[in-house]
Amino acid sequence: MAKHVNWHQRHTDSLEFGQRLADSVATGMGSWRFIIIQTIIVVIWMGLNVVGFVYHWDVYPYILLNLLFSTQAAYAAPIIMMAQNRQNQRDRAQADEDFRTNVEAKKEIEQLQILLNKIEIDKLDKIITMLEQMDKK
């Protein structure tokens, strides 16, 4: 039995490794889990530097932490843009598939309408024939 592959599976199968990676990173960075983990890391970072008894590797105003955030943002922005571009491609593929489905459905509906009209005409012809036969008697 042949497996039916939908538009989404075809699109997913066509992605290269880098595209899949960008989608995964963008999905991860756009989650509550990422925000919570990053917040915990920042609070720990700041806490260790405030109460560090011996060594403060990044004293207030946390220049190293700001550098890390800037680097993260420099990479995150293009990765998110790549993921958005791919989402646009998925949306276009879905719209194309929906259009094809609608066109096929329209053709089927038109064929059914023609068939129903033919059945209706045949019924009316039979009724007229029966009425004519009754008038002749």
Side-chain angles (χ1 to χ4, degrees):
M1 186 167 164
K3 180 183 173 191
H4 177 70
V5 179
N6 63 19
W7 68 268
H8 187 265
Q9 188 60 46
R10 283 192 310 269
H11 179 77
T12 302
D13 292 345
S14 71
L15 295 178
E16 298 172 4
F17 173 75
Q19 294 171 324
R20 290 177 201 258
L21 180 62
D23 286 347
S24 297
V25 170
T27 300
M29 291 184 85
S31 69
W32 277 108
R33 180 178 180 194
F34 176 81
I35 292 170
I36 291 167
I37 290 171
Q38 182 167 314
T39 302
I40 291 170
I41 291 170
V42 168
V43 167
I44 290 171
W45 181 290
M46 293 168 69
L48 289 175
N49 277 286
V50 167
V51 297
F53 294 110
V54 178
Y55 181 67
H56 302 273
W57 71 89
D58 189 21
V59 295
Y60 183 83
Y62 311 113
I63 303 293
L64 183 58
L65 183 61
N66 284 320
L67 177 64
L68 291 174
F69 281 144
S70 296
T71 304
Q72 178 186 26
Y75 283 98
I79 289 172
I80 292 168
M81 292 296 290
M82 286 188 281
Q84 286 177 336
N85 289 340
R86 242 171 328 287
Q87 181 61 48
N88 289 340
Q89 291 171 347
R90 282 190 292 270
D91 291 345
R92 279 192 295 278
Q94 184 176 12
D96 288 344
E97 192 67 27
D98 288 347
F99 177 75
R100 274 190 235 102
T101 301
N102 290 342
V103 167
E104 289 174 15
K106 182 179 182 242
K107 286 178 184 177
E108 288 180 20
I109 290 170
E110 288 172 347
Q111 290 171 352
L112 287 172
Q113 187 65 44
I114 290 169
L115 180 62
L116 288 173
N117 285 342
K118 184 179 182 296
I119 290 171
E120 190 67 28
I121 289 171
D122 288 346
K123 279 184 184 180
L124 288 173
D125 286 346
K126 286 180 184 177
I127 291 172
I128 290 172
T129 303
M130 289 172 59
L131 288 173
E132 288 174 349
Q133 287 175 356
M134 286 176 61
D135 281 344
K136 288 181 184 179
K137 290 184 184 179

